[in-house]
Amino acid sequence: MRIAVYSGSFDPLHIGHQAIMEYLTNVREFDWVYLVISPQNPLKGKEKALNAEERYQAAIRAVRRHPELHVWVDNIELEMPAPHYTIKTLDALKKREPENDFTLVIGADNLYDIHKWRDAPRILSEFGVAVYPRSGYDLEYIRGQLYEECRHFPAPYVMDAYSLHSTPGTVGLEDFESLYNIQIIDAPIVDISSTEIREAQARGIDMSEFLM
């Protein structure tokens, strides 16, 4: 089966997340979306780890309200030791379910920063990413920038794994296109964030219409 791995803190899940999951199953024809609750992003602060189980249970309740979605709330990262690198999660999913094909779902903002991620070339080549738009981010420009960075990778991993015949230490355009699976998807943009919802709720504003 084709599985979309949609990972995040989801604090809380909202209609923007829902729109992306609907697009993934209805338009991109993934069999399932695995909603992976992240206890801790290695690039962010540690406060999220404190309410990880609460976010997991809240996500289960939210998904149950939408039985039409093929979404599975996965706690695999809650059971893994820190640090919670995405490549470790993808490897663990593949080990658990070797018969399935996994694609990571990320926003344009994450594609912009993916060169900072642990084993980013492996994520892009072995699993691939489906990238949804975010306001203020030009996806084609970011993809071009990523290519320019990859051209100068000291890339023994790429060379050894794929037996390319380009100059050692460089990645040509054809190599980039064949090695790195970056799917730009036309998912709808909903300009609301979990942070905005939490801040509004803290001021006593009813945000229930934005919750999944």
Side-chain angles (χ1 to χ4, degrees):
M1 292 191 298
R2 297 181 66 231
I3 309 296
V5 181
Y6 190 14
S7 177
S9 57
F10 304 117
D11 187 21
L13 273 170
H14 54 67
I15 57 175
H17 300 130
Q18 181 181 342
I20 291 168
M21 288 186 282
E22 289 175 346
Y23 182 91
L24 290 168
T25 55
N26 296 333
V27 180
R28 300 300 293 190
E29 297 183 345
F30 283 96
D31 296 293
W32 282 89
V33 175
Y34 283 9
L35 193 73
V36 177
I37 308 302
S38 298
Q40 172 60 45
N41 184 328
L43 298 179
K44 295 183 180 180
K46 298 181 179 180
E47 65 277 359
K48 287 296 180 189
L50 300 176
N51 69 342
E53 181 63 27
E54 179 182 334
R55 289 186 282 110
Y56 171 64
Q57 296 298 332
I60 291 176
R61 293 192 295 271
V63 168
R64 282 177 178 167
R65 291 193 288 270
H66 298 276
E68 74 281 2
L69 296 177
H70 282 197
V71 176
W72 167 258
V73 183
D74 205 311
N75 67 344
I76 190 169
E77 286 196 355
L78 275 63
E79 299 175 345
M80 295 170 63
H84 297 96
Y85 295 119
T86 298
I87 189 61
K88 290 172 59 178
T89 303
L90 292 170
D91 283 340
L93 287 169
K94 189 64 178 178
K95 182 177 180 180
R96 189 182 75 185
E97 304 169 22
E99 71 281 6
N100 290 332
D101 293 323
F102 296 96
T103 300
L104 181 66
V105 179
I106 60 175
D109 52 333
N110 284 321
L111 184 64
Y112 181 79
D113 286 330
I114 201 167
H115 62 282
K116 301 176 183 177
W117 292 20
R118 174 68 60 91
D119 290 335
R122 279 195 60 215
I123 294 174
L124 295 172
S125 61
E126 295 182 21
F127 297 95
V129 292
V131 189
Y132 58 86
R134 295 291 295 267
S135 295
Y137 290 87
D138 184 331
L139 272 170
E140 290 301 335
Y141 173 79
I142 294 170
R143 193 175 186 279
Q145 289 295 106
L146 183 60
Y147 162 62
E148 287 300 319
E149 292 174 6
C150 288
R151 287 184 61 212
H152 305 290
F153 278 174
Y157 162 75
V158 173
M159 299 298 294
D160 291 345
Y162 295 91
S163 300
L164 300 178
H165 300 290
S166 55
T167 304
T170 67
V171 177
L173 178 58
E174 290 184 2
D175 301 336
F176 177 82
E177 296 286 351
S178 63
L179 290 178
Y180 300 125
N181 181 6
I182 302 174
Q183 307 171 41
I184 306 297
I185 64 175
D186 191 25
I189 298 177
V190 179
D191 282 324
I192 188 68
S193 71
S194 295
T195 300
E196 290 171 333
I197 291 173
R198 292 196 309 274
E199 291 175 348
Q201 289 174 328
R203 298 195 300 271
I205 301 172
D206 181 11
M207 299 295 286
S208 57
E209 66 178 299
F210 297 103
L211 299 179
M212 179 175 167

